[in-house]
């Protein structure tokens, strides 16, 4: 049965006001937190390990938790309407489940699970990158515990991936080298960190339910147990390289360029992962998304217009990526994952 605002209890407010974020000081979490605060509609609470030295965007409230003491997580989530989970791939495997179970006990109705990239409907891509089955299990657990989820399918984060070294988009700005997958012409979906933040804030700023059966406006309930699809650019490595050259004022002659077979690169990365060398994970993940016959191209599904997301400048986003290089190099765990 469809839910309408008119049928809710007397004091019901038709919107999400209280949002908790895991990783609000991290790569994507900080952008989501800033975008939510910018709307003026939300109170944002960061759940943070006791003693953590993380810094958070101005205006974020902080609740200390102990992952080994569920009562602290439940207490921090009491009264929250939406839990957003953003975690590094190096986080302990059981962390997601601990958070979701605590959210259920705290009465949180909605969860955005950890996972911001590939198309959840592309089962083969998910299996090949090893991320699909984990993400599916996370979503299933949320449903099994009586909550509902909204996940984000945005392709790779453009600025972050450009800055992240050879294993991601192939660029090493310190060495001024580029590894091109195949001929570099396969296009894949990407989104800037800021665009992901805007999209999440837009969805969480919608009315929770239609007012009544005559209300056809977009609501949060439209997206429940579904993915939000968005993009900034659908680009090839060649497209990125042209932008990089424009931004840096360089030419082909200034770069050391090598080519590598995408499928071989994927297999090499997977072989590393299988023997416990997680340095191969990014190599495997990114190569797989540029398979010529099955790239991570979300063009047909993106909801940018529906969410009124702005068009962005590729060159400005490339500059933002280059500006991120030094910051990411200081975060060893990110570069190794």
């Amino acid at each position: 049965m469809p839910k309408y605002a008119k049928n809710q209890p007397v004091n019901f407010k038709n919107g999400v006001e209280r949002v908790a974020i895991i990783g609000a000081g991290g790569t994507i979490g900080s952008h989501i937190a800033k975008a939510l605060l910018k709307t003026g509609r939300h109170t944002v609470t960061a759940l943070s390990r006791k003693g953590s030295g993380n810094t958070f965007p101005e205006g974020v409230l902080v609740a200390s938790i102990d992952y080994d003491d569920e009562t602290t997580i439940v207490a921090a989530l009491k009264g929250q309407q939406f839990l957003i989970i953003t975690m590094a791939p190096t986080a302990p495997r059981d962390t997601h489940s601990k958070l979701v179970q605590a959210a259920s006990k705290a009465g949180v109705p909605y969860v955005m699970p950890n996972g911001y990239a590939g198309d959840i409907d592309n089962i083969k891509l998910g299996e090949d990158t090893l991320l699909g089955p984990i993400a599916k299990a996370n979503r299933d657990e949320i449903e099994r515990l009586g909550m509902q989820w909204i996940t984000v399918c945005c392709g790779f984060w453009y600025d972050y991936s450009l800055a992240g070294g050879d294993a991601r988009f192939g660029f090493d700005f310190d060495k001024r080298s580029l590894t091109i997958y195949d001929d570099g012409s396969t296009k894949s979906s990407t989104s800037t960190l800021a665009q992901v933040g805007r999209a999440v804030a837009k969805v969480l700023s919608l009315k929770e339910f239609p007012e009544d059966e005559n209300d056809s406006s977009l609501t949060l309930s439209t997206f429940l147990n579904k993915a939000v699809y968005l993009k900034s650019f659908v680009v090839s490595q060649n497209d990125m390289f042209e932008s990089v050259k424009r931004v840096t004022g360089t030419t082909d002659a200034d770069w050391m360029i090598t080519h590598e077979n995408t499928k071989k690169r994927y297999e090499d990365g997977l072989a590393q992962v299988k023997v416990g060398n997680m340095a191969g994970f990014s190599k495997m993940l990114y190569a797989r998304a540029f398979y010529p016959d099955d790239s991570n191209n979300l063009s047909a599904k993106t909801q940018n217009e529906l969410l009124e997301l702005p068009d962005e400048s590729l060159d400005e986003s490339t500059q933002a990526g280059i500006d991120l290089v030094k910051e990411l190099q200081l975060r060893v765990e990110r570069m190794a994952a």
Side-chain angles (χ1 to χ4, degrees), residues 191-256:
S191 297
T192 62
L193 296 166
Q195 189 82 312
V196 177
R198 281 189 289 266
V200 173
K202 179 71 177 186
V203 171
L204 267 61
S205 296
L206 296 169
K207 289 185 293 188
E208 192 172 349
F209 305 115
E211 295 296 337
D212 53 37
E213 51 274 9
N214 299 314
D215 183 357
S216 60
S217 58
L218 192 65
T219 63
L220 180 83
S221 59
T222 310
F223 296 96
L224 293 176
N225 292 350
K226 295 176 185 172
V228 177
Y229 288 89
L230 66 135
K231 67 175 173 66
S232 291
F233 319 107
V234 181
V235 284
S236 66
Q237 284 182 294
N238 291 340
D239 297 329
M240 295 180 212
F241 190 31
E242 291 305 313
S243 179
V244 165
K245 286 185 289 186
R246 287 192 297 270
V247 167
T248 58
T250 57
T251 67
D252 285 20
D254 298 311
W255 289 79
M256 183 171 64

Side-chain angles (χ1 to χ4, degrees), residues 315-333:
D315 287 0
E316 286 177 12
S317 301
T318 294
Q319 183 64 63
I322 294 170
D323 292 343
L324 257 182
V325 171
K326 296 300 180 198
E327 181 184 328
L328 289 187
Q329 286 172 344
L330 295 174
R331 294 158 63 185
V332 178
E333 81 288 351

Side-chain angles (χ1 to χ4, degrees), residues 141-164:
E141 182 175 30
I142 292 166
E143 289 189 44
R144 194 166 59 247
L145 291 169
M147 298 176 290
Q148 293 176 288
W149 53 268
I150 298 174
T151 197
V152 173
C153 295
C154 57
F156 291 124
W157 302 327
Y158 179 76
D159 32 2
Y160 170 85
S161 299
L162 192 67

Side-chain angles (χ1 to χ4, degrees), residues 124-139:
K124 183 72 169 73
L125 178 66
E127 289 173 348
D128 287 351
T129 59
L130 310 179
L131 295 176
I134 297 169
K136 175 74 164 58
N138 288 342
R139 297 192 299 270

Side-chain angles (χ1 to χ4, degrees), residues 17 19 21 29-44 57-60 194-195 197-202 204-205 310:
E17 296 178 342
V19 182
I21 303 181
S30 61
H31 282 82
I32 292 173
K34 287 175 194 169
L36 285 166
L37 290 170
K38 192 174 179 182
T39 68
R41 296 168 178 254
H42 310 280
T43 300
V44 178
E58 188 177 349
V60 171
Q195 189 82 312
R198 281 189 289 266
V200 173
K202 179 71 177 186
L204 267 61
S205 296

Side-chain angles (χ1 to χ4, degrees), residues 277-293:
N277 181 359
M278 291 310 290
F281 182 72
S282 289
K283 182 191 280 191
M284 172 201 82
L285 179 67
Y286 280 76
R288 179 59 185 83
F290 283 93
Y291 271 20
D293 55 349

